[in-house]
Each structure stands twice: as structure tokens, then as C-alpha cells.
Amino acid sequence: MLTIKNLHATADGKSILKGINLELPDGEVHAIMGPNGSGKSTLSHVLAGRPGYEITEGEVLFDGLNLLDMAPEERAQAGVFLAFQYPVELPGVSNVYFLKAALNAVRKYRGEDPLDAMEFMKLAREKAKLVELGDDLVKRAVNHGFSGGEKKRNEIFQMAMLEPKLCILDETDSGLDIDALATVSKGVNALRDAKRSMLVITHYQRLLDYIVPDVVHVLVDGKIARTGNKELAKELEVKGYAEFTGRAAS
Amino acid sequence: MTNTFLSNLGIGESLPHQGEPSWLAHLRSEAASRLLDEGLPTAKTEAWRFTSLRSLLDVPFASAGRNERNRECQSWAEEVLGEDDTNRLYLVNGRPIGFGKAPTDIEIHRLAQMLVDQPEAIQPYLARHARSDFFGALNSALFEDGLAVHVHSGKRPDKALHLVHISDPEQDTPTSCYPRLLLLVDANAEFSLIETYLSRPGATDLCDAVTELIVKDGGKLDHLRLVLGNDNSNHLGTLAVHQARDSQYTSRSVVMGGKLTRLEIDARLAGPGAECKLEGVYHAIGKEHVAHHTTIIHEASNCSSREEYRGLVDDSAHAVFDGIIKVERGTTNTAAHQQNHNLLLSENATINTKPHLEIDSDDLSASHGATVGALDPNQLFFLRARGIDESRARAILTYSFVRSILDRIGSEPIRALLAKRLLTRLPNAEDMAELAQ
Ligand SMILES: Nc1ncnc2c1ncn2[C@@H]1O[C@H](COP(=O)(O)OP(=O)(O)OP(=O)(O)O)[C@@H](O)[C@H]1O
Ligand SMILES: [Mg+2]
């Protein structure tokens, strides 16, 4: 699904990613953990094509496509989905319009006909249920005035609608209360399938109790410092990152 | 130079408005002498610092005469506007071309006829409130016709009156016209007025329009003013509203198209408890110039005014917002709020914004603010990361910047018309009509 080879990236002259290698096979879920500022969001941004980063070395293959050569919208159409750590508010743009435009762009790329209003609403209702997003939120302006937790749920709702091949979740658990965490995780798990892979960025073991990863990577200072199975996350929960950063856990 | 401009228009000659009462003849000659004395405003005139009239100076305008194309003009305008839920009245070069079905509860008269038949009915109002700055004075000196509308006290006609103005320049002669409207909304009446200014393709045209609105005690007026011009059209609009006790007035100005558009809007809150809202949306592209100059004067206590203009400026276009709210001495319990927000869509576009308050009272809540910004890169990326093309993402954000005001327009078909027009003027957005729903 996804192969990252020796990826180096800088922003504003600052070197952030310093040689990342990662192989994410079809159907697997990999967790990425790591201290604040280690480059987790940067990696997710670079994969999604956010402007402002310079790729100085390396390459990324996504289903055989050279991901770094594609515009952000092409990547999304081809099946890359980034659930934002900080979802963006779009006052004046209704969720319904936004999602319909997005879905029909993705469908067009896949060679499918656009959905009409009825079909779209039916699908939206079904998927909104998955993350228990109320009808009023579906109709409101995108994330405008949404609570932190509602924004995160809205991200997963969008993901469910667009049915991407590669889901990158950047701290989807932050800001969620205990019940919402269970709901959102259930939504994510419902999307797990043999043809869909996920990169789950999180600080907390708790999320990984719900979304059980096949592999856990520890990202430190722009490089993958260690790779293990789900037990690695439990170990980090106890020991922190001292071993990697040279600083003692407080 | 100036005098050539004025004499081309017929200022300085004896004026051929026969049968008019002497007070009007006096008013006209006063206006003409002011024009000759003061001349055309230049960049040195503070209020004209950002709007150059140079492109008009050398143009040998001729006042539009009657032509034989009324029917043609009307069908053209019908085509442009589509259908709506209003009561329409068409005017070509400022002259009404037929009254259709007369709405109940209001009287509509041709201004030219009124000046002959019952001049005393309009004498107390005509040219009492409109500014007599250059274009106001020019209209006063030269207008030949227009409308006088009276909404009787306590009446609430259910349909809006939609005045569709069509400037119809000759193909080879630059043409000017001087539409004029006098509207009296009597005590406790409620009325909805739409003025649309369209220009047919042709030689350069200059539309110098004056609208005078009087809202009596407890009256309510909802006013929408659309300027939908073309690359050859110049629109100079003077709008004045005089508000009595407990009256409510809302002005929405939408400018989407026209080489030069300048609106001078004056609201006078003369009676206690009056409420005034001035709102507007402008979209300037190519080399268009759009200027709004607004003045709200709080003369009485317990009045509130709220002002919000939002602009989109692209290419090498230029937009100006110059708004002033004056709160006079001795007034109490005033609320005055003013906002102007602009989206700068190109490096070559220019925006001059100058919101200000002049306050001579300490019993009030007041605020003013202006912003000029570019599209937010985070929002742009968010849309693209969901698969939406960059040009569409831009169109979505551009439209959503102004939609809060467009959505307040009461008539659904007119909202749709404006959304469509805006989307057609944005790159690659013609087929995005659903965005407005
Ligand atoms: N545009 C930029 N210019 C300069 N530095 C940047 C830029 N973007 C990110 N950085 C820096 O790069 C480092 C990595 O940031 P990033 O957001 O990827 O960390 P993170 O691992 O997601 O952290 P957190 O766990 O706090 O979310 C940080 O030190 C950050 O300040
Ligand atoms: Mg982060």
C-alpha cells in the first residue's frame, strides 16, 4: 500500500524528517507514537501534500504511484485521507455541500457517476450514525462552532464517506471524552478491511486498546527509532521516551 | 477640461425642462452653477482621493434621448434576471417604460408627470436629503424623469417593488442617463424595494442615479440595490435615507460588475428609536473600481446603526470603503457598529478601507473595524486534502466569505441569481450553484 523510503523534509529551513523508512502493507494498521515535536504531524502533512515543506531526499510510493509528485487533491482522489490533528473550520460552507463536492471528486477519479442529492443524503445519514454525528451537525457549516470532540467525529465521518485506501489519523483521540473515544474507535474499526491500511498517530495507549495496531513505530527526532508490536505501546506507557531522547521521564 | 465635460452634458445651457415649477428651475440652476464653480472632483478632494474620474473626462457623453428600443431592452433584462417573486417595473435610461399591473396599497407616478400635475406633493422631499456633491448635483440639474412612489400609512404590500433600470447606450455614442427615485414610506407602513441597475452592451455609459428615501414614524423599509454592470458601464449612485421616529431601514448593496461603481450612501437617524442597517457585498475583477462611501448620522437618541460590508477584490481591481458614523451631541443610548472585511485575491488588487466614528456623546456602545486578508492556506489545504481541486477550493472559500450577507436577502430567486452571477465571475466555478443552497 505505502512505502516510505529515506524521507527527509524541511520547513522554513528547519530539518524535521530525517530519513524515515516505513512499509505499510494492505490491510494493516500501524501506530506511530513519539514525543511532542518529533515530526509525526509533519509526516502526515507531507504524505497528504500540504504546501510549505521541502522534500530534500527520499520517495513515497502509494499503490505504485509516486505520491510526492501529486497535488493534494489528486492524492485524496487516489485514496489518501488525512484526519487532521486540528480540523479546520469553514464558516459559510455547509458540511453537506463540502462532502458532496469531495465525494463526487473522488468518485470521478474512480470513474464512478456523481451521486444525486437523494443518494448522497441516504449515504450521509448511514455514515453519520457510525460516529453518532447528529443530523444538525451534518447540515451545519464545516466544523464551525463544533466542539473539539465533534470536530474529530466529523473527520471520521468524512473518512467513512470517502472510503479511502489509506487513512492517516493524526491524534484523532485527543480532545475526545471516554465515551466519544469508544464511539470514534468503533467507527474507525468498522472501516478496517483487507484493502484499507491505516497510520494511527497517537500519544496514548488507550486508543490502541480500541484500534488494535499490527505494528507500532516510535518516531523520535524525525526518524523511526524503534518498531515493534502492540506490546511496545504498553511499554512506552510505563517507561516514556527517556530511552530514546536521553532525557529522564518526569 | 472640466467644462468640456460639463458642456457636453448640457450644463451651462439654458435648461429645457418646460412646464416645471419655479422652485425646481431654481434648484436646477443652483446645481448647475455649483458644478461650474466647483468643477469635477480631483484626487485632491479628500472624498475622491481613491477614485479617479480621469477615464470619464475625455468621453463626449450625450444625454440619452428616448429611443425605440424599450421592448428590446425589457426582454434583454428579463433574460439577464430570469424570473423572480417581485413586482417589476422597467426603466430605460431613467424613464419608466410602462407600469404593468399597479400594485395595491402604493401609488407610483412618473416623476416627470408628477412635476407637472402635483409638484407641491413632492416639493417638501425632492433634493432635500440627497447630497449635492458632484454627481448628486449633476442629476438634479439634468434629470428628466424617474419615479415618485408613495406607500400609504399602515400598508404592507406583500411583494417587493423591483425597479429594473437599464442603461441603453447608443452603439457609437457614449451616453449618460439620470435616473431618479423618490420614495415615501408613510407611518407604520412596511415596504420592500429592489433597485437593479443593468447596462446593455454598447458605447461607454454613465448612469448617475439618485435615490431619496423617506421613512416616517414606525415605517419599515427593506432596500436591495444591485449594480450588475459591464466593462463599459459607469455607475455613480447617490442614496439618501431620512428616518423618522422608530423607523427601520435596511440597505443591502451588491455590486458585481461595472468599470466604475461609486455609491454614496447617507442615512440620517432623525427620530428617536430609529434603526438603520447598511450592508453590502462587492466583487471587483479585471480593472473594475468599486467604492462605497457611507455616512450615518445619529441625530436622535435611542437609535442604532449596524454596518457590514464585505468585499472580494481580484486581478488588478480596486475597492474602496469609506464609512463614517457620526453621533451628535446630546444623543443618548446609541448603538453604532461598523465593519468592513475584504478578501484580497490577487497581488495586483488594491483595497482602501477607512471605517471611522465621529462621536460627540458618551452614552453609547460603538465599534468599528476593518480587515484585509488573503485566502487562508489552512482552509485551502483542508479542502484540497478532501479531493477538491484548488480552483474549486478557492471558489468555495471566496463565496463563503460573502455569503452571510447574501443569505440575508429575502427573495430566494434573487439570492440564486446573485450566487450564480458571483460564481460565473469566479474562475472555474460556473457549475457550482449548489454551493449557494
Ligand atoms: N512550518 C514550520 N516551520 C518551522 N518549524 C516547523 C514547521 N512545522 C513544524 N515545525 C517544527 O517541526 C517539529 C515537528 O513538528 P510536528 O508538528 O510534526 O510534531 P509532532 O510530532 O506532531 O508533535 P505533537 O506530538 O506535539 O503533535 C516541531 O519542532 C515544530 O515546531
Ligand atoms: Mg502533531
Side-chain angles (χ1 to χ4, degrees), chain B residues 316-330:
Chain B
S316 48
H318 185 181
V320 179
F321 174 81
D322 178 1
I324 180 161
I325 301 183
K326 292 184 188 172
V327 181
E328 294 192 344
R329 178 171 305 183

Side-chain angles (χ1 to χ4, degrees), chain A residues 37-100:
Chain A
S38 56
K40 303 181 298 297
S41 292
T42 302
L43 174 62
S44 72
H45 291 155
V46 166
L47 294 177
R50 186 188 196 104
Y53 299 96
E54 198 195 333
I55 312 301
T56 49
E57 257 187 272
E59 66 172 347
V60 178
L61 294 174
F62 168 68
D63 265 356
L65 298 169
N66 201 336
L67 202 63
L68 301 178
D69 288 346
M70 296 159 71
E73 53 269 38
E74 284 179 80
R75 300 182 197 196
Q77 290 161 11
V80 175
F81 183 95
L82 168 62
F84 283 51
Q85 180 174 3
Y86 304 107
V88 179
E89 299 198 8
L90 303 176
V93 184
S94 79
N95 243 332
V96 170
Y97 178 83
F98 165 67
L99 257 180
K100 198 165 167 225

Side-chain angles (χ1 to χ4, degrees), chain B residues 262-282:
Chain B
R262 179 177 162 115
L263 299 175
E264 315 225 349
I265 302 178
D266 288 305
R268 193 172 283 274
L269 303 175
E275 286 176 26
C276 175
K277 264 191 226 154
L278 304 184
E279 301 179 341
V281 167
Y282 44 88

